[in-house]
Amino acid sequence: MSKEKSYVSEAVMRRMPKYYRYLSDMEKSGVERVSSKELSQRMGLTASQIRQDFNCFGGFGQQGYGYNVSELRHEIHKILGLHNKYDIVIIGAGNLGQALANYTGFEKDGFLAKALFDINPRLIGMSIRGIPIYDIDEMESFVRNNNIHIAAICTPKEKAQEAAERLIRSGVRGIWNFAAVDISAPNHVIVENVHLSDSLYTLSFRMSDD
Amino acid sequence: MSKEKSYVSEAVMRRMPKYYRYLSDMEKSGVERVSSKELSQRMGLTASQIRQDFNCFGGFGQQGYGYNVSELRHEIHKILGLHNKYDIVIIGAGNLGQALANYTGFEKDGFLAKALFDINPRLIGMSIRGIPIYDIDEMESFVRNNNIHIAAICTPKEKAQEAAERLIRSGVRGIWNFAAVDISAPNHVIVENVHLSDSLYTLSFRMSDD
């Protein structure tokens, strides 16, 4: 398996997590083998689409009787970089920041929340599931001293860009941005947006009188 | 302006909320006019891309000196269906469901949370920002009697499809799905997914040794 990410399109990149999700669920239900045809039916893709996607990574050697589910899942796990461990900080301990800190599902994939940061004196000093909430003034030294990889930005949108710049200067390489604004970052930093309001607007658009 | 959504690609559909977001921010900062070139620079698109996108809706008559920001925002507001009001229920009053109920930002866009539903007896009877949490057994009658348009699904993934089917039978036309599973729905129902773990896997993929 070779991994030439520069040649991987945005669309393929968006489908890889979906393959991983389906294969994980299949493995959990005890499915051992799957053909590209079966997988395509489950996922609502075409079989040739799936083979093309996998060929971006050198293919996964489907024999005549299909892919081995565990092996394929393992390969995609590696491609997604999920064999790495990522230490995360959450900036903004409001509703969304707290919900992320409370959610345990990301830990099994190797994403570990180490601290939250906020400006609200009533929150500072508290903790969520053992994860401490610190003053935002301590953010940069914490990120530097603890070699933090990823910051989830859950601040109001007016504060997001400034927070991102401080985080990046302190060594963060990935920004998981929940603020309703697009973050500018240098090329070596990856920004992944979760724009909830955009998603709701798309829903509205598709629902309205068509 | 004509609205022929069947001819609008997924990519254009995903950019419309982004235009709306940028134009809203510009209007708020007092910008009155913008050329497609300026808008393209702010948004990281090309000017011809923007003109093409707008042509999907019949164009918005840019004069030699640019678009009127408020008028353009207003047109896109209509295209997105944001002149409608949507009543929402939230299924699952865990961390994420509570965060959605606590967030006031969607209300100004006409999305009104009317109730949450859960199976947890300790939550049932409580309320969040005045929004009541009811027993999941009351979900169908509530949706029917209150003419609910959209359901946000924040249940564990094992429960999401069943909840969606009950909601759709009760008249819901839009599903905003936060569960880590793809929901099947009939054609007249719109499903919009927010797959947080997929988003995190994409971030990991792009961060890992490239």
Side-chain angles (χ1 to χ4, degrees), chain A residues 134-173:
Chain A
Y134 295 129
D135 190 312
I136 195 100
D137 288 343
E138 297 171 47
M139 178 176 79
E140 280 137 305
S141 58
F142 186 93
V143 165
R144 216 172 265 125
N145 296 337
N146 294 278
N147 194 19
I148 297 296
H149 309 99
I150 295 175
I153 297 191
C154 303
T155 65
K157 64 179 177 175
E158 295 77 14
K159 302 289 182 188
Q161 180 66 37
E162 190 214 327
E165 288 172 11
R166 289 168 57 189
L167 290 157
I168 292 166
R169 276 198 302 268
S170 311
V172 156
R173 287 179 44 240

Side-chain angles (χ1 to χ4, degrees), chain A residues 59-104:
Chain A
F60 300 115
Q62 182 189 30
Q63 279 85 30
Y65 45 96
Y67 299 105
N68 177 308
V69 169
S70 295
E71 284 175 17
L72 184 55
R73 178 186 175 278
H74 182 71
E75 288 294 327
I76 295 179
H77 184 266
K78 271 198 292 183
I79 288 172
L80 291 173
L82 296 175
H83 53 296
N84 300 318
K85 297 284 164 244
Y86 298 96
D87 287 341
I88 298 192
V89 290
I90 299 169
I91 316 305
N95 301 312
L96 186 62
Q98 291 193 22
L100 290 182
N102 263 315
Y103 184 64
T104 57

Side-chain angles (χ1 to χ4, degrees), chain B residues 161 164 168 175 183-191:
Chain B
Q161 180 66 38
I168 292 166
I175 301 276
I183 302 258
S184 311
N187 284 335
H188 72 279
V189 176
I190 309 294
V191 179

